[in-house]
Amino acid sequence: MEQTMLNVTVNGSTRQYPAGTPFRVIAADHQAEIPHDILLVNRDGKLRELHKVLDRDCTLSFITAADKPGRQTYERSAILLMLKAFYDTVGRENAERITVEFSLSNALFCRAKGQFTPDKALLERVEARMRELAAQALPIEKRSVNIDDAVAMFRACGLEDKARLLSYRINSHVNVYTLDGFTDYFYGYMVPDTGYLKWFALESFADGFILRLPDQADPEKLGDFKPPMKVFQAMHEAEDLSAVLHISDVGEMNDVISRGQATQMILSHEAMMEKQIGDIAHEIAARKGVRFVMIAGPSSSGKTTFSHRLSTQLIACGLRPHAIATDNYFRNRADTPRDERGEYDFECLGAMDVEGFNRDMNRLLNGETVEMPTYNFIKGVREYNGETLTLGENDVLVIEGIHCLNDEFSKALPKESKYRIYISCLTTLNVDDHNRIPTTDARLLRRIERDARTRGYGARATIKMWPSVRRGEEENIFPYQDSADTVFNSALIYETALLKPYVEPLLFGVPHDCPEYLEAKRLLKFLNYFLPLPADNVPKTSLLREFVGGGCYKT
């Protein structure tokens, strides 16, 4: 019988392969042209694992760990390898729970409980077992299982978090992955065998351990581990808060929603957040020399609403807050630096009139009356409209901007006059014990909804600009996060369930034939785990009102 030959186009060049050829074989033919290991293929705009086979004429491109989907695939596969090695080392019957909790500086923070001590000696044995398994290039097998059978299987082996999660899936089947007899459920793609996993390490850290992984920018070696300890502490505290609410994963939150107990969950978490804001205000008031409250954080962290809520708490502490937007200290557009593409770089420190800001703030500190600027974004110039400000004895300035933690921005102000706050959406709610939710996903969902509501942008436009936004954060915000006096975590445990009905229609509007569709599809699959939560019982003062509307603050 004559074999069917199919056309495969890569970089404009077409070759023929027999139908049924695994993508892994095609990838091997092109590996010499690609600087990093090929982990997935993109077939006509759809990601495919390497064990899948050719079934039609197509155009292929290759995905490595230097690409976001490839980096996620490598991380996911390394987690499976680590879990298998851990169970092999301590014995499945002795392992009560192993959790992958959150990302931290090119590593994943994990915790393990059971009839063992997760000390350095044990981690060395687990890592050695990981390397044994990797050297054997054992296949990572994927199979489709009836959803009821999967729930029963995970419940029988003590993985209650997965059984609970899958009990809310409406699909009749679910994909599971098996490595050398160990089966687990993962949200996303995997490498075909353990031989692809070459760079990893286990180390003790705090009350758990870290799984170190490569940096996406340099996937052939371990990334540097320089953890921001204040951010780590904030995320650790968020884990403890989740434990208080008895919601550590999506399945547990779905239980709460399905039992009609969402209102109590919302109000409890909002009350906890309000207490945190009040505690920060009390600390500011206790520092008698503070006149400048400097707030910085990445996109969609909720800085605007947080500033309003903090101001309210400062008033309750006997202070008189005044809002200052650093955007009003942009240089005139004609004087703004340009980036390597020749476009205005509005996010660099050079785009700010640093000298003018420091001059005005020092004059205010000295009791002078200062005419405050307003930036005209249409004309691209700073204007003065007669608005003046004088600081009284109990007055403080609440200043929000991306450079507020950078000492160079407020270099002329006395250190004791500044209280610096880093705010970010540091979500610690995960899909289950082994599938984490990146904090950047939570912020991207917020941004998609707010852009659509306030700027008229579609989800495609927001997704397209997101890598540029992230680069700006990496350069101008993240390096200074640990210099803050305090870290405020703006993540609300219920927010993804709340955002789901708002964001899903926007993501479905992303065309299938554009580069942004892959990310839109990934986010849609992620949202599918959540039961939707109506906004009716969300307080108007909630930080989330900045993103879904209906709040009492102008944003």
Side-chain angles (χ1 to χ4, degrees), residues 197 399 412 442:
L197 305 173
I399 306 172

Side-chain angles (χ1 to χ4, degrees), residues 159-171:
L159 297 176
E160 183 61 34
D161 58 306
K162 296 183 185 294
R164 183 171 50 242
L165 176 75
L166 296 180
S167 68
Y168 288 96
R169 302 286 282 178
I170 61 173
N171 313 61

Side-chain angles (χ1 to χ4, degrees), residues 91 95 98 104 107 129-130 184-186 243 246 270 283 308 312 322 342 369 385 466 514:
I98 301 173
L104 189 71
R129 179 58 178 156
M130 290 175 70
D184 206 343
Y185 173 74
F186 282 92
H246 303 290
E270 290 285 351
E283 184 175 347
H308 287 303
T312 300
H322 302 271
T369 297
N385 302 309
W466 191 243
C514 71

Side-chain angles (χ1 to χ4, degrees), residues 190-302:
M190 291 285 202
V191 298
D193 67 53
T194 58
Y196 285 76
L197 305 173
K198 303 170 184 176
W199 299 279
F200 54 80
L202 295 181
E203 296 177 10
S204 295
F205 185 77
D207 60 345
F209 64 96
I210 55 168
L211 170 60
R212 292 184 60 189
L213 296 168
D215 189 325
Q216 183 177 323
D218 192 358
E220 267 73 47
K221 67 176 185 179
L222 286 181
D224 293 336
F225 183 63
K226 298 177 180 178
M229 292 307 298
K230 290 180 182 177
V231 171
F232 168 74
Q233 187 60 40
M235 298 190 78
H236 207 296
E237 290 171 358
E239 290 282 358
D240 294 340
L241 185 150
S242 297
V244 170
L245 295 175
H246 303 290
I247 302 174
S248 60
D249 56 50
V250 174
E252 287 183 335
M253 188 169 67
N254 286 342
D255 282 347
V256 170
I257 295 172
S258 67
R259 290 195 298 259
Q261 299 171 344
T263 299
Q264 187 60 53
M265 171 186 66
I266 291 170
L267 296 179
S268 296
H269 202 176
E270 290 285 351
M272 290 176 176
M273 179 171 282
E274 193 62 39
K275 183 180 183 303
Q276 287 180 288
I277 298 172
D279 290 344
I280 293 172
H282 279 286
E283 184 175 347
I284 292 170
R287 297 191 187 184
K288 298 304 181 182
V290 172
R291 308 305 296 274
F292 307 102
V293 179
M294 316 284 286
I295 303 170
S299 174
S300 303
S301 292

Side-chain angles (χ1 to χ4, degrees), residues 4-228:
T4 302
M5 301 299 290
L6 297 173
N7 296 315
V8 176
T9 302
V10 176
N11 290 330
S13 178
T14 301
R15 294 174 59 176
Q16 288 195 324
Y17 289 90
T21 300
F23 288 119
R24 184 175 187 172
V25 171
I26 303 173
D29 287 346
H30 293 272
Q31 182 61 75
E33 307 161 18
I34 308 297
H36 311 296
D37 288 348
I38 297 171
L39 305 182
L40 301 170
V41 298
N42 182 329
R43 187 201 67 187
D44 296 326
K46 183 176 182 180
L47 295 178
R48 307 292 286 173
E49 291 170 308
L50 294 183
H51 72 270
K52 296 289 186 178
V53 299
L54 188 66
D55 61 356
R56 68 192 74 174
D57 293 339
C58 62
T59 297
L60 291 184
S61 59
F62 301 112
I63 306 297
T64 75
D67 306 301
K68 183 177 179 179
R71 175 62 173 74
Q72 292 169 332
T73 296
Y74 189 95
E75 175 184 303
R76 209 175 287 121
S77 305
I79 292 171
L80 175 62
L81 178 66
M82 183 269 290
L83 292 168
K84 165 63 178 170
F86 220 111
Y87 288 131
D88 283 357
T89 303
V90 304
R92 187 67 182 270
E93 69 281 1
N94 296 318
E96 177 185 337
R97 191 178 186 190
I98 301 173
T99 55
V100 180
E101 302 195 356
F102 48 80
S103 175
L104 189 71
S105 182
N106 295 312
L108 300 174
F109 178 71
C110 310
R111 285 194 272 196
K113 297 180 181 179
Q115 303 304 309
F116 53 82
T117 302
D119 54 15
K120 179 180 178 182
L122 176 59
L123 294 175
E124 288 176 348
R125 290 166 54 206
V126 174
E127 183 180 326
R129 179 58 178 156
M130 290 175 70
R131 299 200 182 282
E132 289 176 9
L133 295 168
Q136 296 175 47
L138 297 171
I140 297 176
E141 300 170 332
K142 181 179 184 178
R143 72 182 193 277
S144 179
V145 179
N146 177 275
I147 195 80
D148 293 331
D149 292 341
V151 169
M153 174 182 68
F154 287 125
R155 186 157 284 146
C157 63
L159 297 176
E160 183 61 34
D161 58 306
K162 296 183 185 294
R164 183 171 50 242
L165 176 75
L166 296 180
S167 68
Y168 288 96
R169 302 286 282 178
I170 61 173
N171 313 61
S172 60
H173 286 74
V174 65
N175 292 323
V176 298
Y177 291 91
T178 299
L179 170 58
D180 193 29
F182 170 63
T183 299
D184 206 343
Y185 173 74
F186 282 92
Y187 145 58
Y189 302 106
M190 291 285 202
V191 298
D193 67 53
T194 58
Y196 285 76
L197 305 173
K198 303 170 184 176
W199 299 279
F200 54 80
L202 295 181
E203 296 177 10
S204 295
F205 185 77
D207 60 345
F209 64 96
I210 55 168
L211 170 60
R212 292 184 60 189
L213 296 168
D215 189 325
Q216 183 177 323
D218 192 358
E220 267 73 47
K221 67 176 185 179
L222 286 181
D224 293 336
F225 183 63
K226 298 177 180 178

